[in-house]
Amino acid sequence: ALGRSALRDAATRLIRPDRAARLERHVRTQRVWVFAALRLVPTAPFSVVNLLAGALDAPRGRFVVGTLLGSLPATVALALLAEQARNVLTRPWWQSVLLALGLLLMVWLGLRWLRRKVTA
């Protein structure tokens, strides 16, 4: 709401009106996975993405669902990695080390998949 009320005029002043209208139409037609990709790939800080989405009148429902879906994998992966790091440091068993390496591999593969999906 803040982005739409406060930044809408500023965004249209910075961008030519025809380009601003085209960009806004493009944002309105995006699917949930595009908004999820914005959260998965570190493009800009959350607050900047939120303000710009509001200024460009992004569909609220798709933006919220995309944000939830895009934030969930990173949150779960970081929590699991932190737990495994604690286990490796406090009880360095080979299973803990293998699980931590497996989690890192899953994060890396997920980022590669997403990069291909976004650039395709």
Side-chain angles (χ1 to χ4, degrees):
L2 180 62
R4 185 171 43 254
S5 63
L7 294 179
R8 187 162 179 77
D9 293 334
T12 55
R13 278 194 306 262
L14 290 174
I15 305 170
R16 291 188 335 229
D18 61 322
R19 292 185 103 188
R22 192 171 358 129
L23 184 59
E24 188 172 0
R25 274 193 313 274
H26 184 68
V27 168
R28 282 186 187 164
T29 61
Q30 293 307 309
R31 299 184 190 268
V32 169
W33 73 267
V34 172
F35 296 117
L38 283 172
R39 299 305 187 189
L40 282 170
V41 177
T43 55
F46 267 42
S47 56
V48 172
V49 172
N50 293 344
L51 289 171
L52 287 174
L56 294 171
D57 202 21
R60 283 178 217 70
R62 283 183 267 177
F63 183 74
V64 169
V65 171
T67 295
L68 290 173
L69 292 174
S71 300
L72 187 64
T75 303
V76 170
L78 286 174
L80 290 173
L81 280 172
E83 176 64 19
Q84 282 311 116
R86 186 184 65 81
N87 284 341
V88 167
L89 293 174
T90 58
R91 292 176 278 148
W93 293 44
W94 64 272
Q95 294 98 334
S96 297
V97 173
L98 282 179
L99 188 56
L101 290 174
L103 287 169
L104 283 172
L105 178 65
M106 285 177 30
V107 168
W108 180 73
L109 289 172
L111 288 174
R112 280 189 62 202
W113 173 84
L114 183 64
R115 188 174 296 133
R116 279 196 312 263
K117 185 93 168 154
V118 170
T119 57

